[in-house]
Amino acid sequence: MKTAVFFITVLLNALSTGFFFAWSVSVILGTKKIGHVMYLETMQNINREILNPVFFIVFFGSLISLVISTYLQFNNKTVFVLVLASTIIYLFGTFGVTAFGNVPLNNELEALNITNLNLMELKGFRTYYESAWNHFHSIRTISSMVSFILLLISIFIQKTF
C-alpha cells in the first residue's frame, strides 16, 4: 500500500509539474504574440475550461497524496524529511500561490467586460494581469519542480539504503 500511494504521489506531482512547465514554455510564449482583446478573451476561456475533473484530480490529488505519503514515510527519517519538504513546498509554493495569486487574478479577469473597455483600458489591464499572473505562475512552476525533485531524491535514497 505504501509503495502504491507513493507511486501515485510521484505520478500526480510529475503531471502537475509537467503541466506548469509546458504552460510556461508554450502557452505563455504564444499569448505574448497576440493582441490585447484576443489575449484577455483567450485567458478567460482557458480559465473557464481548466476547471475540469482531470485538472482537479492532478492538482488537488498531488497535495492530498503528498500529505498521505509524508505520513507513510514516518519510519525513514531522511525520506520523511524529503517528502515533508516536498509537501510543504507544493502546499505553499504551488497550491498556495495558485489559490491566493493566480485564482484571484482569474476571478478579476472573469468579472471584466472586455467589450466595454477602450484600447488604453485593455492595454492597462492586460499589462497588469499578464505581468502578475506570469509572476505567480513562475513561482508555482519552480515550486512544483522543486517538490518533484525532492520526491525523486527520496526514491533514490530509498533504493540506495
Side-chain angles (χ1 to χ4, degrees):
M1 160 129 167
K2 181 176 163 181
T3 304
V5 170
F6 196 65
F7 176 81
I8 290 167
T9 300
V10 173
L11 175 63
L12 290 173
N13 197 277
L15 290 169
S16 182
T17 300
F19 172 77
F20 291 130
F21 176 76
W23 187 284
S24 296
V25 299
S26 61
V27 176
I28 289 175
L29 299 176
T31 57
K32 286 181 183 270
K33 297 180 178 183
I34 59 177
H36 305 311
V37 172
M38 186 176 284
Y39 172 81
L40 296 173
E41 287 175 342
T42 298
M43 290 303 291
Q44 280 181 333
N45 285 311
I46 289 171
N47 291 336
R48 290 177 196 132
E49 295 304 317
I50 197 70
L51 303 176
N52 67 69
V54 175
F55 177 77
F56 288 144
I57 288 168
V58 171
F59 186 67
F60 291 105
S62 291
L63 181 58
I64 293 165
S65 64
L66 277 164
V67 170
I68 294 168
S69 288
T70 300
Y71 174 76
L72 292 175
Q73 299 300 329
F74 196 73
N75 293 340
N76 183 329
K77 186 176 181 181
T78 305
V79 173
F80 170 77
V81 168
L82 287 167
V83 177
L84 177 62
S86 174
T87 303
I88 291 168
I89 290 167
Y90 190 91
L91 172 64
F92 291 104
T94 304
F95 187 85
V97 167
T98 300
F100 298 106
N102 296 92
V103 169
L105 287 167
N106 293 346
N107 293 340
E108 205 174 329
L109 175 60
E110 182 61 29
L112 190 69
N113 188 341
I114 297 170
T115 59
N116 289 345
L117 301 179
N118 65 41
L119 186 58
M120 291 298 289
E121 292 168 327
L122 287 167
K123 181 181 179 184
F125 187 83
R126 180 198 180 149
T127 300
Y128 151 74
Y129 176 88
E130 186 174 31
S131 174
W133 199 96
N134 288 346
H135 171 75
F136 289 130
H137 180 73
S138 294
I139 294 169
R140 70 184 180 178
T141 301
I142 291 167
S143 297
S144 187
M145 291 172 83
V146 170
S147 176
F148 181 64
I149 289 167
L150 290 171
L151 289 177
L152 292 178
I153 292 169
S154 74
I155 291 170
F156 176 75
I157 287 173
Q158 286 181 36
K159 297 298 179 197
T160 306
F161 296 103

